[in-house]
Amino acid sequence: MLDRLPEYIEPLSFADKRGEVKGKIALSKLTRLSEILADNSGEVTAELFFYRDGKLAVVEGRVNTNLHIICQNCLQPMEWVVDRSVKLGIVSSLEQADRLPEDIDPLMMSDSKILLNDIIEDELLLAIPDFPKHEWQCYSQPVNSDIQSDSSENKQLDSNNPFSILAKLK
């Protein structure tokens, strides 16, 4: 396995030659992904195979890594294991993308070269849930004096709230 993957690739040329790319890339090099990670240390392992299925150029493989993201319940870092299979059809128009089989996602290309990091980063972004959270109930309100003092402040704010009268009617 290579220490680092090539920066640019020509997917159509790779597909004609039935080429493959295997290697690792540092998470810190994936800028869009790094913005949402709690810790961008570590690396991604990618294995991508290029081939033609009739006239369609296809990219198939796997992307593996452990991401450190923020739980949206407790706002603490958590580990998210990604082991994602990739199957992309290389297309140059929306019409071609619409004709792809259900199990193949489109990879839009407007140039002969494409950043390999973009393919890998897109797959990792798709693997992260919209609202990541721990598998167990991680959110519990700690009992301490700060919270008790906050509740007395809330009671004072409620008396100034014009809708507090409605709460008493219940």
Side-chain angles (χ1 to χ4, degrees), residues 2 18 30-31 35 45-47 49 51-52 65 84 93 95 97 102 128 133 148 153 163 165:
L2 301 173
R18 296 188 58 84
L30 306 175
T31 54
E35 292 174 2
T45 303
E47 297 179 12
F49 304 97
Y51 63 93
R52 286 213 179 255
T65 190
R84 185 173 174 91
S93 69
E95 293 82 27
E102 291 280 326
I128 298 173
K133 57 184 177 180
Q148 292 172 354
E153 289 175 15
F163 297 106
I165 297 170

Side-chain angles (χ1 to χ4, degrees), residues 65-67 79-83:
T65 190
N66 291 338
L67 300 176
E79 188 172 300
W80 189 261
V81 178
V82 176
D83 185 14

Side-chain angles (χ1 to χ4, degrees), residues 100-160:
L100 288 175
E102 291 280 326
D103 65 331
I104 299 179
D105 293 324
L107 173 61
M108 294 291 285
M109 287 197 46
S110 58
D111 196 9
S112 64
K113 288 186 179 183
I114 190 168
L115 275 168
L116 183 60
N117 291 1
D118 287 349
I119 297 172
I120 296 168
E121 188 170 27
D122 289 345
E123 292 301 319
L124 292 175
L125 288 168
L126 289 170
I128 298 173
D130 292 334
F131 300 100
K133 57 184 177 180
H134 290 104
E135 292 179 9
W136 65 90
Q137 289 290 53
C138 57
Y139 182 75
S140 61
Q141 191 170 359
V143 178
N144 61 27
S145 60
D146 293 340
I147 291 176
Q148 292 172 354
S149 66
D150 286 346
S151 64
S152 63
E153 289 175 15
N154 285 340
K155 287 179 185 175
Q156 289 176 348
L157 289 175
D158 285 344
S159 64
N160 294 336

